[in-house]
Amino acid sequence: MPVALRSILAVSILFGIAPSLSAQEGYEYEVYSTHIAAPRIGALELHTNFVPTGPSSSDSELVSSHRAVRSSLEFSHGINRWLEGSFYFVGGVFRGMGAEYVGNRVRLTAVAPSTWNLPVDLGVSQEVGYARHGFSEHRWMYEISPIIGKTFGRVSVVVNPALERGFGSARESELELEPRAKASYEIGDDGALALEYFGALGPAKAFEPVSEQHHQLFVTFETELSRRWEIGGGIGRGLTRESDRTVLTSKLEYHY
């Protein structure tokens, strides 16, 4: 068995037994790809979104996302050619509450080396994290997100059939499916337009009724300002009553 494959399996086992914030929970809208930082190269990313219109359903016991500004500050670093580590600070500004610290996350992303010559790009992202009470359905969560991608000229497609599990009560321990996907088209040498999907279907054994699921579509763009700086943004629309109806997103990234 190749050394890289043995290492990927070891990382998976390590994270698989660890307790863990839901990977995104609306604080960061990102479909993970196999493009990771080179060894000893790092990046600082600020993801911010504003929710002009929250979900039409008001049954949730969580802090309302209506008119909220939510942010995720990520520090990432290339460990070697196939492994990247990331650490997040998560927070936001909420109606009637002001600025609030929400939690933290740690993520490891392992990708299949190009020397394997696979027909598709493969990888796996795993996260552990913590969220304060009232800001997430689970205080501690673990997520594993396979990464499957393919490029056709200027068009790229990537999917993340993510699975997450909470730790605590019996209901929190259910394995839930939260798929994500992205189709992008390169514009020139430095930009891209994309259609992105984010969903939360409920327990993998028995999905929630469609009206209680989360489904959102985003139209996004990203471009390089220089060798070190990238920006991006987009607008999203919720397709179910439990989803944020409208979301405006932005991303600022600095490579060091």
Side-chain angles (χ1 to χ4, degrees):
M1 181 183 295
V3 174
L5 180 56
R6 291 201 301 266
S7 301
I8 290 173
L9 291 175
V11 170
S12 298
I13 293 172
L14 174 63
F15 268 71
I17 62 176
S20 79
L21 170 67
S22 173
Q24 306 210 357
E25 290 286 359
Y27 294 91
E28 173 189 296
Y29 290 95
E30 182 177 9
V31 180
Y32 300 142
S33 74
T34 57
H35 300 294
I36 63 173
R40 298 180 296 280
I41 299 298
L44 176 65
E45 294 184 39
L46 177 63
H47 293 260
T48 302
N49 67 75
F50 172 61
V51 185
T53 311
S56 58
S57 172
S58 59
D59 298 334
S60 176
E61 297 179 356
L62 302 180
V63 172
S64 174
S65 62
H66 183 64
R67 308 293 291 181
V69 177
R70 303 174 295 195
S71 290
S72 173
L73 181 63
E74 173 188 356
F75 299 86
S76 61
H77 189 79
I79 299 173
N80 55 39
R81 293 181 181 275
W82 54 269
L83 187 64
E84 178 188 75
S86 303
F87 181 80
Y88 298 75
F89 293 97
V90 183
V93 179
F94 304 90
R95 288 196 311 164
M97 300 177 63
E100 292 285 343
Y101 158 73
V102 173
N104 296 96
R105 304 202 309 267
V106 177
R107 177 164 68 95
L108 276 180
T109 302
V111 301
S114 59
T115 55
W116 290 5
N117 296 316
L118 299 176
V120 296
D121 299 324
L122 292 179
V124 60
S125 176
Q126 300 187 77
E127 301 187 25
V128 295
Y130 162 81
R132 291 176 57 209
H133 179 72
F135 292 97
S136 174
E137 292 182 357
H138 313 288
R139 181 70 62 92
W140 295 95
M141 284 290 298
Y142 165 74
E143 181 193 85
I144 180 169
S145 178
I147 303 169
I148 307 167
K150 182 69 174 178
T151 299
F152 309 89
R154 290 185 173 272
V155 177
S156 297
V157 178
V158 61
V159 295
N160 300 160
L163 292 169
E164 69 169 35
R165 181 180 179 224
F167 288 80
S169 68
R171 187 179 188 283
E172 286 182 333
S173 65
E174 292 179 322
L175 197 64
E176 299 184 2
L177 179 62
E178 297 197 349
R180 304 185 289 268
K182 178 178 180 179
S184 61
Y185 179 79
E186 289 186 7
I187 299 177
D189 296 328
D190 304 322
L193 288 174
L195 180 65
E196 302 183 17
Y197 164 77
F198 299 87
L201 309 185
K205 290 184 178 180
F207 293 160
E208 299 283 359
V210 174
S211 61
E212 298 179 16
Q213 297 176 8
H214 294 252
H215 297 278
Q216 292 176 287
L217 285 178
F218 284 77
V219 176
T220 65
F221 77 92
E222 57 184 31
T223 187
E224 292 183 6
L225 297 179
S226 67
R227 185 173 62 88
R228 293 184 179 272
W229 290 95
E230 296 180 19
I231 62 169
I235 181 170
R237 181 67 175 175
L239 306 179
T240 62
R241 68 175 188 174
E242 295 291 335
S243 307
D244 292 328
R245 300 301 295 164
T246 307
V247 183
L248 305 177
T249 67
S250 69
K251 180 183 79 169
L252 179 63
E253 182 173 354
Y254 173 74
H255 298 268
Y256 58 89

